[in-house]
Amino acid sequence: MAAHRFRFLALLMFLGLGVDESMAQMPPGPGPYVQAPPPGAVIIAPAAPPPPQAEVIIAAPSPAYAWLPGYWNWQNRWVWIPGRWALPPRPGMVWEGHRWVMHPGNRWQMHHGGWR
C-alpha cells in the first residue's frame, strides 16, 4: 500500500501538480472518501462509538509537531478518522482530542477537539 502511495505522489510531481507537504506525511489510512467533520458541526450518533482503533504512530516530522490521535466520526455509520502529526498554531498549545458524550435518549454528540 505504501508503494502505491509513493508512486501516486511521484506521478503527481512528475505531472507538475502541486503536492501539499501534509499529503506526503499523511499516515496510511482509508481513502479520500473519509472526511473529518467541519469545525463546529453538530454531529449526533444513535449509539456509542466503537472502541478506539490501535494506531501505529510514526516518528514526528520534527519535535515541534504534536500527535492528533484518530477518532470515530459518524457519517450514517461509524468511520475511523486516522491520527496525524500537526504543527500547533502557536508554541505551547496542546491538542484536546474529539470526544463523544451521551445525551438523554441514548444519543451521542461529538464534542470537537481543538488547540488549547
Side-chain angles (χ1 to χ4, degrees):
M1 184 62 107
H4 294 307
R5 182 176 295 228
F6 176 77
R7 287 186 194 124
F8 177 73
L9 291 173
L11 176 63
L12 287 176
M13 290 189 305
F14 175 76
L15 294 173
L17 302 174
V19 177
D20 186 336
E21 179 182 329
S22 64
M23 285 178 64
Q25 296 176 0
M26 283 177 41
Y33 56 89
V34 174
Q35 299 261 331
V42 176
I43 301 175
I44 305 290
Q53 290 191 3
E55 295 188 285
V56 176
I57 302 174
I58 58 174
S62 85
Y65 280 70
W67 177 252
L68 282 50
Y71 60 94
W72 287 105
N73 186 29
W74 179 255
Q75 297 177 1
N76 293 321
R77 65 183 176 89
W78 288 110
V79 176
W80 180 253
I81 306 296
R84 62 186 179 89
W85 289 105
L87 279 171
R90 290 188 309 270
M93 294 190 85
V94 177
W95 176 257
E96 182 181 297
H98 303 289
R99 59 190 171 87
W100 288 92
V101 177
M102 189 173 79
H103 288 270
N106 197 31
R107 294 170 50 111
W108 291 78
Q109 181 176 357
M110 174 185 271
H111 287 232
H112 296 277
W115 294 102
R116 314 278 191 251

